[in-house]
């Protein structure tokens, strides 16, 4: 994405400068539940050139996140990623969008990112669904990121539960098996000790988690994995 030609750099600098006040404007419109971050990918180690809001604790001069590095790797093939769920270090559920910046040649050189804290909204939806017995609402596509693999696993589990707007105890057996099948398809159980972490996140025993995973794999014809199926199984938790 870098270009030594001063003409493209001048154009890109002008685009960045024009977007700086927009960063403050968007954040002010949505209030304290919103954070807006402007990235200049020409300087990955200090890509943050403007930030308004404090959901993720970033500041000007900060480095890009994992999703930024992924977009950087895609080069000019990078596309906008809209309405995905992420998790802040404080545990908040964020609805996020990352919109790439291009110059007049179509080259990607940065991104404008918007994060909105939807924790309270998700809690209210779960409460209303529990009271009214309503069905699950369709959720946005989820992309997770974090500084460690534990936070990534937790975010994936939470995102799958949020899609159903139901807690573990509200799911029937078929829905529980579907949850474990989906988590397995997303590669969660390839992570060391993930089965214990998923069990803790769902509030069930490790034996129950092994049992559900084994049944989900059997239903889809997946060969058992000794790393996850070696423990004893148990009943529902």
């Amino acid at each position: 994405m870098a270009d030594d030609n001063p003409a493209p750099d001048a154009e890109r600098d002008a685009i960045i400068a024009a977007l700086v006040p927009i960063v403050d404007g968007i954040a002010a419109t949505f209030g304290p539940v919103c954070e807006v971050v402007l990235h200049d990918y020409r300087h990955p180690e200090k890509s943050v050139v403007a930030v308004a809001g404090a959901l993720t604790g970033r500041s000007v001069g900060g480095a890009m996140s994992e999703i930024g590095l992924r977009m950087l790797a895609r080069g000019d093939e990078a596309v906008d990623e809209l309405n995905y769920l992420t998790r802040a270090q404080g545990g908040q559920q964020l609805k996020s969008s990352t919109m790439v910046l291009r110059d007049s040649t179509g080259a990607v050189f940065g991104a404008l990112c918007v994060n909105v804290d939807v924790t309270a909204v998700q809690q209210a939806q779960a409460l209303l669904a529990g009271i009214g017995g309503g069905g699950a609402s369709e959720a946005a596509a989820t992309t997770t990121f974090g500084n460690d693999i534990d936070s990534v696993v937790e975010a994936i589990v939470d995102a799958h539960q949020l899609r159903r707007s139901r807690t573990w105890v509200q799911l029937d057996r078929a829905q529980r098996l579907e949850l474990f099948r989906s988590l397995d398809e997303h590669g969660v159980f390839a992570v060391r000790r993930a089965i214990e972490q998923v069990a803790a996140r769902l509030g069930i025993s490790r034996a129950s988690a092994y049992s559900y995973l084994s049944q989900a794999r059997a239903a889809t014809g997946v060969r058992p994995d000794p790393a996850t199926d070696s423990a004893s199984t148990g009943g529902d938790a």
Side-chain angles (χ1 to χ4, degrees), residues 68-187:
L69 292 173
R70 184 168 71 244
M71 288 209 168
L72 187 66
R74 291 174 179 171
D76 296 339
E77 299 301 316
V79 296
D80 296 345
E81 296 194 16
L82 308 176
N83 294 329
Y84 56 88
L85 294 179
T86 59
R87 172 183 291 279
Q89 290 183 344
Q92 309 100 305
Q93 288 286 337
L94 307 179
K95 182 178 181 181
S96 304
S97 290
T98 298
M99 294 152 282
V100 297
L101 305 180
R102 298 179 186 272
D103 61 22
S104 58
T105 69
V108 173
F109 68 93
L112 179 66
C113 305
V114 179
N115 301 311
V116 178
D117 187 347
V118 295
T119 305
V121 175
Q122 299 289 3
Q123 291 173 341
Q125 287 179 338
L127 176 62
L128 292 174
I131 294 174
S137 59
E138 185 176 355
T142 303
T143 300
T144 57
F145 61 85
N147 291 324
D148 57 81
I149 196 63
D150 289 347
S151 64
V152 173
V153 172
E154 290 179 359
I156 293 174
V157 174
D158 291 349
H160 278 66
Q161 286 191 293
L162 288 173
R163 289 196 189 102
R164 295 163 176 79
S165 297
R166 294 183 181 183
T167 63
W168 174 260
V169 297
Q170 294 172 315
L171 300 177
D172 59 29
R173 180 178 178 278
Q175 291 170 327
R176 291 178 178 184
L177 289 174
E178 169 61 20
L179 172 61
F180 270 82
R181 183 197 63 77
S182 183
L183 291 174
D184 200 22
E185 286 184 349
H186 280 74

Side-chain angles (χ1 to χ4, degrees), residues 18-43:
L19 287 173
V20 169
I22 293 178
V23 168
D24 293 324
I26 295 174
T29 299
F30 288 94
V33 298
C34 180
E35 175 189 75
V36 184
V37 184
L38 181 61
H39 290 276
D40 184 344
Y41 288 170
R42 293 172 294 177
H43 309 287

